Amino acid sequence: MILKSLEEDVHSKIVSIVNKGKLKESIENLEEAIVFYNQALEIYPKDENEYFGQKYLYELFGNCFERQENLDEAVKYFEKASQCYEGLKDKNLLLKISILYSQLNNEELSKHYADLCIKQGGRKLVKESPSLNSLFEDEMQTQNEIVVPKIYKVIDGKEYTFEQWKVYENEQWKIYQEKKNKKLFGLF
């Protein structure tokens, strides 16, 4: 009972500090917002069940640094967020990191996080992001989008897709028609 009351007090204190930080952030006082977020992070429980709250705090840090145009620090905190509670499943977070790396001219890491975003179902997000257009100019040909054509028919060990089969079928029809015409005119 006493332990639960202490946990609630810590939680209430964290919420209060974070709200003060968000208030400072809303009035563009980003330095003070970061100070409040640091205070909240210092008292935040280190229990691994509490990683969702840490993820949120790291995202708040990242947002402040991004708004200050300190992209190196912003990406550092967004990456920390991605390592917390299911952060690597958060396609919006992965997109944000990819965009920041793109702005930092780190194409390799930008592509890496874009690919992770796509794997989490964020293909449309990546495709529609103007910052990432240069990475995927070839119609989003990333590793996980390479499409293997479906085999329609196999004849004598040769595999045909539907389109290839239609071409083959038309060629065979022409050959048949030529042979038929030759028979009609006594050429056989």
Side-chain angles (χ1 to χ4, degrees):
M1 185 76 159
I2 294 175
L3 184 60
K4 187 172 184 165
S5 177
L6 288 174
E7 287 175 4
E8 289 173 1
D9 287 345
V10 169
H11 180 14
S12 295
K13 188 172 183 178
I14 292 169
V15 169
S16 173
I17 293 170
V18 167
N19 285 338
K20 288 176 187 174
K22 288 172 72 174
L23 178 64
K24 294 297 182 181
E25 187 176 346
S26 72
I27 59 172
E28 299 298 319
N29 191 340
L30 301 174
E31 290 297 325
E32 282 190 43
I34 291 170
V35 169
F36 281 115
Y37 298 150
N38 268 321
Q39 289 175 3
L41 191 60
E42 286 175 11
I43 62 171
Y44 204 88
K46 302 303 181 222
D47 181 9
E48 65 183 61
N49 293 328
E50 298 293 330
Y51 279 145
F52 182 73
Q54 284 183 335
K55 176 182 177 283
Y56 179 66
L57 274 172
Y58 287 137
E59 288 180 85
L60 291 172
F61 277 110
N63 289 330
C64 284
F65 287 118
E66 183 180 17
R67 288 174 64 189
Q68 289 177 330
E69 296 181 10
N70 185 347
L71 302 183
D72 288 317
E73 282 297 302
V75 80
K76 177 177 118 182
Y77 279 97
F78 285 124
E79 281 187 317
K80 283 184 178 185
S82 76
Q83 300 305 312
C84 292
Y85 180 80
E86 296 190 353
L88 289 175
K89 292 183 180 178
D90 184 342
K91 60 187 171 196
N92 293 310
L93 177 59
L94 297 169
L95 177 70
K96 168 87 77 179
I97 296 169
S98 178
I99 290 170
L100 286 172
Y101 274 123
S102 176
Q103 292 170 347
L104 290 167
N105 297 316
N106 189 331
E107 189 174 310
E108 183 180 335
L109 284 173
S110 182
K111 272 189 172 184
H112 170 72
Y113 280 99
D115 282 339
L116 289 175
C117 179
I118 290 167
K119 287 178 183 175
Q120 293 304 318
R123 181 186 191 285
K124 185 175 180 184
L125 291 173
V126 172
K127 188 175 183 179
E128 292 176 354
S129 173
S131 301
L132 302 177
N133 284 343
S134 64
L135 291 177
F136 300 100
E137 289 173 344
D138 297 331
E139 207 46 41
M140 303 291 290
Q141 291 299 316
T142 58
Q143 293 173 346
N144 49 345
E145 290 188 293
I146 296 171
V147 177
V148 177
K150 292 184 179 178
I151 303 304
Y152 182 69
K153 288 199 180 214
V154 177
I155 295 187
D156 296 330
K158 183 166 182 188
E159 298 175 340
Y160 294 92
T161 63
F162 182 76
E163 292 78 18
Q164 292 170 329
W165 176 253
K166 287 297 178 190
V167 170
Y168 175 78
E169 201 172 48
N170 286 334
E171 289 171 355
Q172 293 301 311
W173 179 252
K174 286 178 187 174
I175 292 169
Y176 170 77
Q177 290 293 352
E178 287 174 9
K179 286 181 179 179
K180 183 178 171 188
N181 287 337
K182 286 179 184 179
K183 278 186 177 180
L184 286 177
F185 294 109
L187 298 175
F188 277 96

